Amino acid sequence: MAPSLSPIRSHHVAVIGAGAAGLVAARELRREGHSVVVFERQKQVGGTWIYTDHIEPDPLSVDPTRSVVHSSVYGSLRTNLPRECMGYRDFPFVVRSGVSESRDPRRFPSHGEVLAYLQDFAKEFAIEEMIRFDTAVVKVAPAAEEGSGKWRIESTEKEKKVLRDEIYDAVVVCNGHYIEPRHAEIPGISSWPGKEMHSHNYRIPEPFRDQVVVLIGNSASADDISRDIARVAKEVHVACRSNEADTYIERPGYNNLWMHSMIECVHKDGSVVFQNGKTISVDVIMHCTGYKYHFPFLETNGNVTVDDNRVGPLYKDVFSPAFAPWLSFVGIPWKVVPFPMFELQSKWIAGVLSGRIPLPSKEDMMMEIKTLYSTLDAQGIAKRYTHQMGISQFEYNSWLASQCGCSETEEWRKEMYFATGVKKRAHPETYRDEWDDHHLVSQAYQDFSLYA
């Protein structure tokens, strides 16, 4: 396609959230010449990476009137990807010289190091000057004049009690998806007397000392938290839907940690029955069952919905065809290397908004989405897995890069991602501290020297 000769247009754009997605979205939008306001309900950047020891009063986080805690990070959390792989493309996640000794130089660092990296990024690119902190977005809706494409945003600045009602040309939603928990359904749970909670409200193992705990899930959090708790608990049992019905395995290196098939049912005497036939008397059931996409502020008249955790319809997981290009989302896909993907999605959005990159017609976008949905349907893939990528992320990233005219994901980054996955499955205990991909690390640092 020949380059367009029309002048690049600048727009007034609202970004919702100043976590890893919102920060890079703001940077790319401003680089493209747009004027940007970022709305952030917390007092600092970092989103889900801000650790707090506060937990919600409702341990299951189902009460709609609860005060919501906007972090799911637990004390011992370390990244499950190496830092070289994780960082934004042109701001490598390296150990920075001249920074304080409190930093964590490990390849798989703690959550605090990721937060410090995001703070460094915000500082390096002067992003904070675009951010309104301590500001909750109450409502995002198409502006009254039908078809204008503009958006009306109502927000409240908590400390100063300032209410704002403003008009923007476009909205980029970057509010994360690790706040609103999903739960497993357990037959008999209403009369079970023990404590139920979601991992969203887990911070440290100490409250579980000498208790019998069942965790449900097969995610990174279930894996990490089960080992964390096993240090102090009497027994830890991990129930997982994807395990065979007769699964009963003692975890190597532990004498109090077992893997099971899913829970069959629970009883009012406090017992939990697994599909493998085992029955255990249990103090706590912890749901490590992930999160729901949640946009309580967004009013689209049914044009964007969340149905069994499918956000749709969205073209390439980013644009709503009904409102394109004026409503977009960064960070919807999961099982991905997040930060570099956020960066590519943001470059694409910024270029589309300025008119530099064309989008297909609304009809063509809808057609592609319908084709995707029927393919997933035919493969028997549930709606809630619509945005799960895994291996397909690299094809997706290549497509985004080709739209933006920038280079594809580096080979070493892909190889490092796959090597880490293999290592993690083989050595879940030690993969963060013992590795053999030194050749990939040196390739990464060769690339990083271009940005130093």
Side-chain angles (χ1 to χ4, degrees):
M1 185 180 295
S4 157
L5 296 175
S6 63
I8 299 297
R9 296 186 296 276
S10 168
H11 293 289
H12 190 37
V13 186
V15 172
I16 316 290
L23 291 173
V24 75
R27 184 191 72 170
E28 294 303 331
L29 287 160
R30 186 170 62 184
R31 274 183 171 175
E32 188 76 16
H34 303 293
S35 73
V36 183
V37 175
V38 182
F39 294 82
E40 173 49 59
R41 62 163 58 241
Q42 304 195 76
K43 289 176 164 45
Q44 57 169 313
V45 303
T48 200
W49 292 98
I50 301 169
Y51 177 80
T52 171
D53 45 21
H54 293 299
I55 55 172
E56 295 180 6
D58 167 14
L60 271 176
S61 300
V62 288
D63 178 0
T65 64
R66 73 191 189 279
S67 59
V68 175
V69 172
H70 287 265
S71 178
S72 301
V73 167
Y74 38 94
S76 65
L77 183 127
R78 288 173 66 184
T79 66
N80 57 5
L81 288 171
R83 61 195 305 148
E84 303 87 11
C85 193
M86 267 186 82
Y88 300 117
R89 301 262 300 254
D90 64 358
F91 190 72
F93 188 8
V94 296
V95 180
R96 305 208 171 268
S97 53
V99 294
S100 77
E101 285 170 18
S102 63
R103 297 290 287 261
D104 180 351
R106 294 174 296 180
R107 276 194 79 197
F108 292 78
S110 64
H111 55 82
E113 177 70 4
V114 183
L115 178 61
Y117 167 72
L118 293 172
Q119 290 166 339
D120 289 345
F121 179 82
K123 200 169 162 187
E124 175 76 16
F125 297 101
I127 294 167
E128 289 205 0
E129 64 194 37
M130 298 184 263
I131 304 174
R132 289 186 195 157
F133 289 106
D134 218 21
T135 299
V137 172
V138 181
K139 182 176 169 182
V140 173
E145 45 285 11
E146 204 52 51
S148 70
K150 292 188 186 294
W151 289 82
R152 184 173 190 161
I153 298 189
E154 293 175 24
S155 64
T156 55
E157 201 173 326
K158 284 174 275 194
E159 293 289 297
K160 300 177 188 163
K161 304 274 189 291
V162 179
L163 278 75
R164 287 196 179 90
D165 185 343
E166 303 166 302
I167 301 289
Y168 288 83
D169 296 323
V171 179
V172 184
V173 179
C174 306
N175 69 325
H177 44 88
Y178 295 107
I179 303 299
E180 193 68 18
R182 289 170 62 86
H183 303 90
E185 287 179 19
I186 305 170
I189 197 69
S190 55
S191 56
W192 184 73
K195 178 183 175 179
E196 252 194 304
M197 64 180 289
H198 190 278
S199 58
H200 174 61
N201 294 307
Y202 174 75
R203 296 294 180 267
I204 53 172
E206 198 48 47
F208 304 92
R209 182 169 291 282
D210 302 326
Q211 297 198 318
V212 178
V213 183
V214 170
L215 287 83
I216 303 173
N218 67 341
S219 61
S221 62
D223 210 36
D224 282 351
I225 294 169
S226 62
R227 296 169 203 285
D228 215 12
I229 290 177
R231 294 183 291 124
V232 300
K234 183 179 173 188
E235 295 175 12
V236 179
H237 301 268
V238 181
C240 173
R241 183 167 279 118
S242 59
N243 286 345
E244 296 291 321
D246 58 354
T247 301
Y248 182 61
I249 303 165
E250 190 171 6
R251 266 280 156 94
Y254 295 87
N255 58 7
N256 66 340
L257 175 53
W258 291 269
M259 303 299 293
H260 294 260
S261 45
M262 191 49 186
I263 294 173
E264 181 81 36
C265 60
V266 295
H267 296 294
K268 56 174 179 258
D269 63 358
S271 63
V272 170
V273 182
F274 296 90
Q275 287 172 355
N276 59 17
K278 302 282 177 200
T279 300
I280 293 157
S281 185
V282 171
D283 300 301
V284 182
I285 293 176
M286 188 189 301
H287 297 252
C288 302
T289 41
Y291 296 86
K292 301 173 187 169
Y293 296 95
H294 191 54
F295 312 103
F297 50 82
L298 189 59
E299 296 185 10
T300 66
N301 207 4
N303 281 297
V304 179
T305 60
V306 182
D307 175 15
D308 186 23
N309 235 25
R310 168 187 283 172
V311 185
L314 290 182
Y315 176 64
K316 304 290 187 190
D317 282 334
V318 171
F319 287 105
S320 155
F323 299 112
W326 313 114
L327 175 65
S328 58
F329 296 77
V330 174
I332 295 287
W334 53 281
K335 268 211 175 153
V336 297
V337 183
F339 300 2
M341 178 181 285
F342 299 165
E343 189 175 358
L344 285 167
Q345 289 179 323
S346 300
K347 284 180 191 294
W348 184 39
I349 292 165
V352 167
L353 284 174
S354 70
R356 188 171 56 81
I357 302 170
L359 269 186
S361 67
K362 176 183 169 176
E363 293 69 29
D364 287 351
M365 288 192 276
M366 280 307 299
M367 182 76 77
E368 180 164 325
I369 295 163
K370 283 180 177 154
T371 305
L372 168 71
Y373 289 175
S374 33
T375 305
L376 293 173
D377 227 19
Q379 292 170 346
I381 295 170
K383 286 180 185 175
R384 63 182 172 276
Y385 297 111
T386 301
H387 310 295
Q388 177 183 318
M389 285 201 175
I391 193 166
S392 69
Q393 66 182 296
F394 298 111
E395 194 183 328
Y396 176 76
N397 287 347
S398 296
W399 184 88
L400 287 172
S402 71
Q403 292 295 300
C404 303
C406 55
S407 57
E408 293 201 8
T409 305
E410 311 92 330
E411 277 308 312
W412 61 259
R413 201 183 293 258
K414 292 184 206 172
E415 285 181 44
M416 202 177 270
Y417 171 82
F418 290 122
T420 302
V422 169
K423 191 87 177 170
K424 184 172 149 192
R425 285 185 289 278
H427 305 285
E429 294 288 334
T430 57
Y431 77 95
R432 290 181 173 98
D433 297 302
E434 296 172 11
W435 56 85
D436 42 24
D437 59 351
H438 303 283
H439 63 297
L440 297 175
V441 178
S442 56
Q443 284 173 36
Y445 276 83
Q446 268 178 304
D447 272 5
F448 294 167
S449 64
L450 307 173
Y451 302 111

